[in-house]
């Protein structure tokens, strides 16, 4: 997931990332500040901090840390589900940009371990092949976790659908019984009315 979004000073922006259990999530971000005079976003925002908070599906704070204008954060999920990743600018008294607009570039990688470039350039080809093999095995484990998580979600959805269908069936039966009861009561009332008026 790679994107960018605009934010105001101290404005918190959050994204939701659906993550399987025991999965490494790595996020890279860079902040650009709007320059009123140049009418463009500057390449860097020195002196500006970024507060990153990660919350689990059970509302437990997994990560809460202040970083610089550009940085990398990572966390490992302990449970599957929707993790909320929030970023908020943290201006200091050394930075005067009240009301400025920020552009935040965010790149989130789920379940990926980045290859070490120095290892790839190693002369020993056996180590390089071994390193790539380990990386492929990690990716296979991640795909397996993703598939298991999707199966869990599918099972929950199926159970919810079955419960909903069952409730609809019972509600239809109750409605039918109510209509039949009202019909019988109306027929009896009309019959009693006709008898009392001696029309029958």
């Amino acid at each position: 997931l790679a994107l960018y979004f605009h934010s105001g000073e101290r404005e918190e922006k959050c994204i939701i990332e659906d993550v399987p259990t025991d999965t490494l999530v790595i996020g890279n971000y860079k902040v650009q500040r709007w320059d009123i005079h140049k009418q463009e976003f500057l390449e860097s925002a020195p002196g500006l901090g970024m507060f990153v908070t990660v919350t689990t599906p059970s509302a437990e704070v997994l990560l809460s840390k202040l970083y610089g204008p550009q940085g990398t954060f990572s966390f490992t999920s302990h449970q599957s589900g929707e993790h909320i990743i929030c970023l908020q600018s943290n201006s200091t008294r050394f930075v005067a940009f009240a009301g400025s607009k920020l552009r935040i570039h965010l790149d989130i990688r789920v379940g990926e371990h980045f290859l070490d470039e120095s290892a790839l350039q190693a002369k020993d080809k056996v180590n390089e092949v071994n390193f790539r093999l380990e990386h492929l095995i990690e990716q296979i484990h991640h795909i397996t976790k993703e598939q298991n998580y999707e199966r869990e979600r599918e099972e929950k959805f199926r159970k919810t659908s079955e419960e909903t269908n069952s409730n609809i069936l019972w509600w239809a039966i109750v409605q039918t019984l109510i209509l039949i009861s009202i019909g019988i009561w109306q027929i009896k009332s009309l019959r009693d009315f006709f008898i009392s008026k001696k029309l029958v």
Side-chain angles (χ1 to χ4, degrees):
L1 173 68
L3 53 89
Y4 76 84
F5 51 87
H6 293 144
S7 173
E9 181 186 7
R10 291 188 176 276
E11 183 183 358
E12 186 178 54
K13 294 282 188 175
C14 299
I15 63 164
I16 296 173
E17 191 67 37
D18 215 349
V19 184
T21 187
D22 293 325
T23 302
L24 176 67
V25 178
I26 299 171
N28 292 303
Y29 73 89
K30 183 175 94 171
V31 182
Q32 294 177 306
R33 183 167 56 90
W34 178 256
D35 189 287
I36 299 172
H37 305 294
K38 294 182 179 179
Q39 291 292 303
E40 63 181 4
F41 284 99
L42 300 177
E43 276 308 306
S44 63
L48 179 67
M50 212 63 183
F51 199 73
V52 180
T53 308
V54 178
T55 310
T56 65
S58 59
E60 175 192 348
V61 177
L62 198 60
L63 174 69
S64 181
K65 191 175 177 182
L66 180 64
Y67 294 87
Q70 184 171 353
T72 300
F73 61 89
S74 64
F75 64 92
T76 302
S77 61
H78 302 303
Q79 58 180 299
S80 59
E82 294 181 341
H83 288 66
I84 302 171
I85 303 169
C86 296
L87 291 94
Q88 181 180 22
S89 63
N90 180 39
S91 62
T92 66
R93 58 193 177 105
F94 302 109
V95 182
F97 66 99
S100 283
K101 188 165 59 171
L102 302 173
R103 177 180 284 173
I104 301 167
H105 297 265
L106 181 62
D107 182 19
I108 294 179
R109 299 179 186 271
V110 179
E112 290 189 23
H113 296 265
F114 300 108
L115 292 173
D116 186 2
E117 292 298 326
S118 62
L120 291 176
Q121 295 170 359
K123 292 180 181 178
D124 188 354
K125 293 294 179 185
V126 175
N127 286 342
E128 183 181 343
V129 170
N130 187 40
F131 188 79
R132 285 186 182 273
L133 186 62
E134 287 177 4
H135 183 69
L136 285 172
I137 290 170
E138 282 180 1
Q139 286 182 324
I140 290 168
H141 286 313
H142 173 64
I143 291 169
T144 305
K145 286 177 189 173
E146 285 277 359
Q147 287 176 333
N148 290 336
Y149 179 49
E150 289 302 322
R151 273 194 215 98
E152 286 174 19
R153 290 181 63 184
E154 188 180 341
E155 181 70 18
K156 285 180 185 175
F157 180 75
R158 188 179 61 77
K159 284 181 181 176
T160 306
S161 298
E162 287 175 357
E163 287 172 8
T164 304
N165 289 337
S166 176
N167 290 339
I168 289 171
L169 176 64
W170 282 111
W171 178 240
I173 291 170
V174 168
Q175 279 184 321
T176 305
L177 291 173
I178 290 171
L179 287 172
I180 290 170
S181 301
I182 291 171
I184 291 170
W185 177 77
Q186 284 181 332
I187 291 169
K188 186 178 180 304
S189 297
L190 281 171
R191 185 171 169 267
D192 291 344
F193 173 76
F194 288 142
I195 290 172
S196 66
K197 295 293 183 182
K198 296 181 180 179
L199 296 173
V200 178

